[in-house]
Every structure is written in C-alpha cells, then in structure tokens.
Amino acid sequence: MRIIFAGTPEFAAGHLQALLADGQHDIVAVYTQPDRPAGRGKKLQASAVKQLALQHQLPVEQPLSLRDSDAQQQLARYQADLMIVVAYGLILPQAVLDLFPHGCLNVHGSLLPRWRGAAPIQRSIWAGDKEAGVAIMQMEAGLDTGPVLLSKALPIAAEDTSASLYAKLAELGPSALLECLTDLPHYAAQAQVQDPSLVTHAHKLSKEEAQLDWQQPAKTLEQWVRAFNPWPVAWLYSATQEVIKIWHTDVVTGDASQAPGTILSADKHGIVIQTSAQALRLIELQPAGKKAMPAAAFLNGRSEQFPIGSCLTGPHHE
C-alpha cells in the first residue's frame, strides 16, 4: 500500500522505523509537527519523526493545521491508500479521514475504550490498573472513538513508572501495527465498536495535580509518584514550605492515631509520612535546584524540613 505516516515524538518514530524495516509498503510522505524551540539555547528542533524521515529521504510535511483546503489538497496529491497516525498532535477533520480508501489508522497507548486522550500511559499507572497496552483503531472525527481492529495488552509491573511503561509500549506498538497491516481487510471487517459504558478519559497531566495529597491512601500516592515520573514529577511542601520533588516511594505501616500528613520518622531509611491509610515512605527526593538524592543525603543538613511530629499540608488542606 501507499502509506502516509503522521507522528511526532520518539514513540511515533519507533513505528515509522518498523514500517521502513518491514519494507512491505511504500511510505510516500511523512507528516509531523512544525519544528519547536528546545534546550537552553531555544534553537528550533526537528521532531524525532522528522529526523528519521530525512535520514531515509522521505518527503516531510509540517502544516500548522489540516483544517484548511491547501493542506488537504497537498495531502490528496500523494494519492495514498492509508494514513497511519501515531502521537501526531494535530486533529484530523472528516475531510482528511475521507481522503484514503482504507481511511486512517491510529496507534493509541491504551486498551481502548479505557483511557482515551492525551496521557493514557500515565493515567493507567495513576489509577492502579493491572494492565496497559496498545490499540490499533480506525479513526473517526471524535477523540479516540473509532472501532478497534487489534489490541495488545501487557501487565503493569509494581515498579513501572510512566517512563518504563512507555518504553514497553513503544516496543509493543510497532509489532501490533505490522500484524494489523499483514491482513488489513480481515482486521477491518472484525473491528470492535467501543463500548460507551467502558470509556474513561486520560486528560493531560498538570503540575498542580502532582502535589501529594495526604488525605489519599499511601498506595494511591505511591501510584501517583510512579505515574508522574518523569513528568511533571510528584511534589510536596516541606515543613518549611519548600517545594520538594519526590521520585521514589513505598508503602509502609503507619500510625492511624496520627493525622494524615504527620511525619512519623525521618532517618537513613527514608521519611515516613502518615496518610489516610498506611504511611508513605519517601526514598528519593529532589530539593529545588539540586539533583535527586536518597533520603539520607537529603536529611544531611536539611532535617528541619521534615521534623518528626509536624504535619505537612496538602493541596486542599492549607
């Protein structure tokens, strides 16, 4: 088939790489987000997908939108059979979906209809899901609403962060996509319409919601810490009201007679804070302007930030 590939970050580049290595189809053009300023110098940086496309001398298009007729006419000129979309970042209007005989396929990082939207990998850890996966979906005008041609699941490990789960799904996605393309008419014919009663939404992450809330159970907070790693990173206000990022925690026995947010202990093994159920032990912390460090190193010279017996404030309880 003649295929147009649309994607932007590293996750998408892995799928393009798999298509190129497979060699069964003709990639006639690559669509990706416009170059963006990045790094300290704020120099314009090409996306991972653009860099890969240029290495393979593929035509690259970077429209600001696909809603205007000029962009749609340019897309039509490639006379592609199919468009494959992986973490592209632009909305595809109905006029674009209708351009291709086989429509547009999307590789989404969740087991649809669970976690439609922008941050499915993070939200699955955040919610304590037992498994994650990828879904190959026939695109419709709605957000991640189309019928699912193929799903592949994998367990979420107890120690998985968003970064580690992202890496696992970045391997699972390309193989699922190639499997789907080997017999597209078969998979399209048996595509499953998404059950509306099972839909959940994976809204974008915000720095505000990454603040630890001591009124939550310790297990929930431990999931939050893993979900928000590597961005935006879970954080708290110390007893001296300094913002401290939290990279690694575990759940330990607490003292139910103490109010949530109470510091139960602070030593080389970690800083233990009571929650609404059990206690959260802070193992790796990052003070402002410094690198992440073990609790023992943090407390060396900063013990006033976590005095035993004092109570930390949370987002709704200041």
Side-chain angles (χ1 to χ4, degrees):
M1 285 184 291
R2 290 172 61 81
I3 290 175
I4 288 174
F5 184 87
T8 299
E10 201 66 51
F11 185 79
H15 290 74
L16 177 57
Q17 181 66 60
L19 287 167
L20 292 166
D22 184 54
Q24 297 299 307
H25 304 284
D26 185 13
I27 311 296
V28 294
V30 170
Y31 275 66
T32 191
Q33 287 273 337
D35 297 2
R36 299 269 195 260
R40 288 189 175 173
K42 295 295 179 190
K43 290 184 177 173
L44 284 180
Q45 176 90 27
S47 73
V49 164
K50 180 179 179 179
Q51 292 176 45
L52 179 61
L54 293 177
Q55 287 169 24
H56 290 268
Q57 287 88 46
L58 297 171
V60 174
E61 303 282 354
Q62 296 176 276
L64 287 169
S65 167
L66 290 174
R67 294 190 183 280
D68 66 272
S69 58
D70 287 350
Q72 291 171 11
Q73 286 169 12
Q74 178 60 34
L75 202 53
R77 286 189 198 107
Y78 285 109
Q79 298 183 319
D81 302 303
L82 172 72
M83 187 169 185
I84 293 172
V85 180
V86 186
Y88 178 29
L90 281 190
I91 300 291
L92 271 58
Q94 192 64 47
V96 168
L97 302 177
D98 293 341
L99 280 175
F100 311 102
H102 291 285
C104 300
L105 291 186
N106 176 241
V107 183
H108 184 72
S110 82
L111 298 171
L112 290 170
R114 188 160 178 77
W115 302 128
R116 291 178 181 174
I121 294 171
Q122 296 93 331
R123 294 294 177 196
S124 61
I125 296 175
W126 174 81
D129 289 0
K130 294 290 182 271
E131 62 177 10
V134 293
I136 314 291
M137 173 191 66
Q138 190 82 46
M139 294 181 75
E140 295 177 347
L143 178 67
D144 302 329
T145 57
V148 175
L149 283 72
L150 178 66
S151 284
K152 295 278 185 184
L154 51 73
I156 297 177
E159 67 279 2
D160 265 329
T161 63
S162 288
S164 65
L165 187 55
Y166 183 95
K168 291 176 184 179
L169 295 181
E171 286 193 17
L172 188 63
S175 61
L177 176 61
L178 293 180
E179 183 180 330
C180 196
L181 292 179
T182 56
D183 193 355
L184 188 56
H186 164 74
Y187 284 107
Q190 55 143 36
Q192 298 287 313
V193 174
Q194 294 184 40
D195 182 344
S197 70
L198 300 177
V199 170
T200 59
H201 292 282
H203 304 293
K204 267 187 179 175
L205 303 182
S206 70
K207 289 183 179 179
E208 291 72 30
E209 72 176 319
Q211 183 182 1
L212 295 178
D213 180 356
W214 307 113
Q215 303 295 328
Q216 298 286 339
K219 181 60 187 160
T220 299
L221 296 180
E222 188 271 338
Q223 289 160 194
W224 286 14
V225 170
R226 291 187 290 116
F228 295 132
N229 175 351
W231 193 92
V233 188
W235 61 277
L236 54 78
Y237 283 120
S238 71
T240 55
Q241 292 298 295
E242 292 181 55
V243 172
I244 309 296
K245 291 182 176 179
I246 307 299
W247 287 91
H248 185 202
T249 62
D250 64 5
V251 178
V252 295
T253 304
D255 178 354
S257 70
Q258 299 293 324
T262 302
I263 300 164
L264 302 180
S265 64
D267 55 32
K268 65 181 181 182
H269 303 295
I271 299 161
V272 178
I273 301 169
Q274 181 64 31
T275 71
S276 66
Q278 298 184 286
L280 189 71
R281 179 167 55 181
L282 314 181
I283 298 169
E284 189 178 6
L285 306 87
Q286 183 180 4
K290 304 284 185 184
K291 290 184 175 175
M293 60 187 73
F298 181 94
L299 290 168
N300 188 11
R302 296 185 186 84
S303 56
E304 78 286 350
Q305 296 197 32
F306 292 97
I308 295 166
S310 69
C311 195
L312 303 180
T313 54
H316 312 299
H317 316 282
E318 262 112 3

